[in-house]
Amino acid sequence: MTRVLVAPDKFKGSLTADEVARAVVRGLTSEVPDVDVRALPVADGGDGTLAAAVAAGFERVPVTATGPTGTPVDGAYGRRGDTAVVEMADVSGLSRLPGGRLAPLTATSRGTGELISAALADGARRVVVGIGGSACTDGGAGMLQALGARLLDADDREIGPGGEELGRLSRVDLDGLQPVLSRAEVVVACDVDNPLTGPSGAAAVYGPQKGADEDQVGLLDRNLGRLADRVAAATGRDVRNSPGAGAAGGVGFAAMAVLGATLRPGIDLMLDLLDFATHLRDVDLVVVAEGSLDEQTLHGKAPVGVARMAREAGAEVVAVCGRTTLTGEQLRGAGIDAVYALADVEPDPDRSMAHAGELLERVSAELARRHLTPRGRR
C-alpha cells in the first residue's frame, strides 16, 4: 500500500497549516478510505511556526507578553526538553496590531524578548526564533530591553518603544543582560539577506509594508544606523552589514550582535527541528501545500524545502495550492511532480478563499484518484 505524508504550510488568510492538512487527509480518504496517510504541518519560520512545532510534539506554554503597540497579548512558546520555539509574529506581528492599524514608528519587538526570557527562565538552553511577519522597525531594541539591556538617552533615561525613539539613543548598557544568555544557543529562522541599513536595509525594503512613508523610511534608516553605532561601541563588533541583519525590522541585527545568534534558512531549520527525515521513512508520496505557488516559493519557502528532502528520500512529490504561476519546468526543477490548484475548480479568488477547505477536499480527492488508485497510476 502507498504510504502518504501530508506536509503543508498554511494558506495565508484562509487556512492554518493544520486545517490544510486535515482537509487534504479528508479528500484523500474519501477516495481511498484505507490509505496509509500521516499529517505533519510545517512552516518556514514565519506565521505558523509555533503551530507546526506543537503539531510535532512541542508543548505549548502560554505567556502574556507586550504586543507591538504596548497592549498585552496572549502569546506562547513551544517547549520540548531544553529547546524552545518562539514565533515573533505571535506577539510582535502585523496580526497583533489593534484594529490592523499600522504603527511604523512606534511598534516594538519587546514581546518577542519577553517570550525568549520566559523560555530561558523555564530552562531552555536552545531557543529557535522564527522572525517572519513582524510589525516593527526598531532594530530589535524592544527585544533587547526585555532581556535586560538598557537603551539610554543623553540623560541616562531609558528610551521608549519603536524605531522613532532610537533617534534619542545615546548609549547601550549591556551589564544587565540576562546571564543565562551566555550559556544558551539562539538560532534565528531567517530567509532574507538584507543588511540593517541603506537602500537594501530594513527600513527601505520592509518599512513601507509596515506603514512607513518616504520621510519615515529615511528617519527609521538613520535611527537604525544610530542603534548600530551604539551597539558596536558596547560590543566591539559591527554586524550591520551582515546578511540578515535587516530581517524583521532589524531583529536579525540585534540577535546576532547582542545575543550571539546564528541565522539559518527558515525551512531548513524547521525541518531539522521537526525531525522531518524520520517522518519520511518508508513514505512513497508526499503532499506539499501553500496558498500560492509562485516565484517566492522557489526562494526557500516550505514546499520547496519539503520537496527537496522528499525527493532525496525517494518519494514522489505532489502539491496542492490555491493558485500557481509557476511553469511545469519550474515545478519539476523544484522537485514537484504535479500540482492541484483550487483555482482550477473555483477561478474566483474570493470564493476560493471563502470555501478553501471544501475545495481542498475536492482537489485532494482528484489527487488520490490519479496517484493512489491502480487506474490513476496506469
Side-chain angles (χ1 to χ4, degrees):
M1 180 180 295
T2 302
R3 294 179 174 87
V4 182
L5 177 64
V6 179
D9 199 352
K10 62 188 173 298
F11 277 31
K12 192 167 185 178
S14 180
L15 299 172
T16 67
D18 184 59
E19 289 170 336
V20 172
R22 285 189 274 118
V24 172
V25 170
R26 287 195 300 269
L28 297 179
T29 55
S30 70
E31 189 67 26
V32 186
D34 60 346
V35 63
D36 182 352
V37 58
R38 288 169 284 162
L40 183 67
V42 299
D44 57 13
D47 299 358
T49 293
L50 176 60
V54 170
F58 279 72
E59 176 189 359
R60 187 180 188 276
V61 182
V63 177
T64 298
T66 302
T69 60
T71 303
V73 298
D74 293 327
Y77 65 89
R79 177 180 62 192
R80 186 173 66 190
D82 65 356
T83 297
V85 175
V86 168
E87 179 186 315
M88 185 175 184
D90 185 44
V91 291
S92 308
L94 290 164
S95 64
R96 289 294 197 173
L97 290 166
R101 291 186 296 275
L102 300 174
L105 300 181
T106 58
T108 177
S109 59
R110 188 178 193 95
T112 299
E114 291 170 348
L115 289 184
I116 296 171
S117 179
L120 293 171
D122 199 27
R125 292 300 175 264
R126 183 173 190 252
V127 182
V128 176
V129 187
I131 61 174
S134 76
C136 52
T137 309
D138 71 345
M143 177 183 71
L144 296 179
Q145 288 172 312
L147 291 168
R150 299 179 69 212
L151 277 62
L152 305 169
D153 65 15
D155 297 320
D156 267 2
R157 295 173 180 168
E158 197 87 16
I159 66 169
E164 184 175 34
E165 278 287 287
L166 295 175
R168 299 198 303 113
L169 180 62
S170 178
R171 183 168 64 91
V172 173
D173 180 358
L174 300 178
D175 289 345
L177 204 65
Q178 294 182 12
V180 69
L181 282 164
S182 65
R183 304 188 298 275
E185 177 190 10
V186 179
V187 187
V188 173
C190 175
D191 290 317
V192 302
D193 58 5
N194 305 77
L196 179 65
T197 57
S200 299
V205 175
Y206 303 109
Q209 300 172 13
K210 302 172 186 182
D213 60 29
E214 185 176 351
D215 290 340
Q216 291 170 333
V217 164
L219 172 68
L220 290 168
D221 189 65
R222 291 191 297 274
N223 288 358
L224 290 173
R226 187 181 186 90
L227 173 66
D229 290 339
R230 302 306 186 265
V231 169
T235 63
R237 55 196 296 258
D238 190 343
V239 302
R240 79 186 76 192
N241 292 319
S242 298
V251 165
F253 162 80
M256 287 190 290
V258 179
L259 308 185
T262 55
L263 271 57
R264 287 189 58 194
I267 187 58
D268 293 347
L269 178 58
M270 290 305 300
L271 292 180
D272 283 351
L273 195 70
L274 302 178
D275 195 18
F276 196 74
T278 298
H279 293 277
L280 281 172
R281 290 175 185 165
D282 301 320
V283 167
D284 303 296
L285 174 68
V286 174
V287 181
V288 300
E290 187 177 45
S292 178
L293 289 179
D294 51 33
E295 289 286 344
Q296 289 189 16
T297 305
L298 302 178
H299 298 284
K301 291 296 186 178
V304 172
V306 171
R308 182 182 66 249
M309 286 192 68
R311 295 305 293 263
E312 289 173 356
E316 181 184 12
V317 180
V318 176
V320 292
C321 62
R323 68 181 189 106
T324 181
T325 60
L326 298 177
T327 66
E329 183 178 358
Q330 287 174 310
L331 290 165
R332 288 188 294 274
I336 297 172
D337 299 294
V339 175
Y340 296 83
L342 307 193
D344 294 337
V345 178
E346 174 51 74
D348 182 87
D350 292 335
R351 287 182 55 82
S352 180
M353 289 187 70
H355 302 281
E358 60 187 78
L359 292 171
L360 263 176
E361 290 186 42
R362 288 175 60 184
V363 299
S364 298
E366 176 64 18
L367 184 162
R369 284 191 289 272
R370 295 194 183 189
H371 296 268
L372 301 179
T373 64
R375 176 177 297 180
R377 288 195 295 266
R378 281 206 296 268

